[in-house]
Amino acid sequence: GGGTFTYTATISSGNVTGLTTSGTGSINDVLVNTSNTTNAIVTYFITPSKDGCNGTPFTFTVTVRPKPGITATAPAPICNGT
């Protein structure tokens, strides 16, 4: 069989929702940055294992960009030549 993974996750900067602080197997987090202006960073600390032996832990860093802001403005008047 294949190996497995355990992980922990922390918010390194910014504000994020949808984070699972620890788990086993696939990481299925849906991260949402709650800021409109600054990036958020989440760091996962992942440890692989197989047959009861742990492999070398590693980190995986995710940058979650802010959601785009859209501002609607009234259309400019159009001159029809009169």
Side-chain angles (χ1 to χ4, degrees):
T4 60
F5 297 90
T6 58
Y7 66 90
T8 60
T10 59
I11 298 171
S12 302
S13 69
N15 293 303
V16 174
T17 60
L19 174 72
T20 304
T21 56
S22 64
T24 302
S26 298
I27 300 172
N28 295 311
D29 294 350
V30 178
L31 303 173
V32 177
N33 184 341
T34 58
S35 169
N36 290 329
T37 57
T38 58
N39 290 342
I41 298 174
V42 174
T43 303
Y44 291 91
F45 299 93
I46 302 168
T47 303
S49 63
K50 182 172 169 128
D51 299 329
C53 296
N54 286 341
T56 303
F58 61 95
T59 60
F60 182 75
T61 303
V62 179
T63 300
V64 186
R65 302 211 182 272
K67 57 185 172 183
I70 299 173
T71 304
T73 57
I78 299 174
C79 177
N80 64 5
T82 58

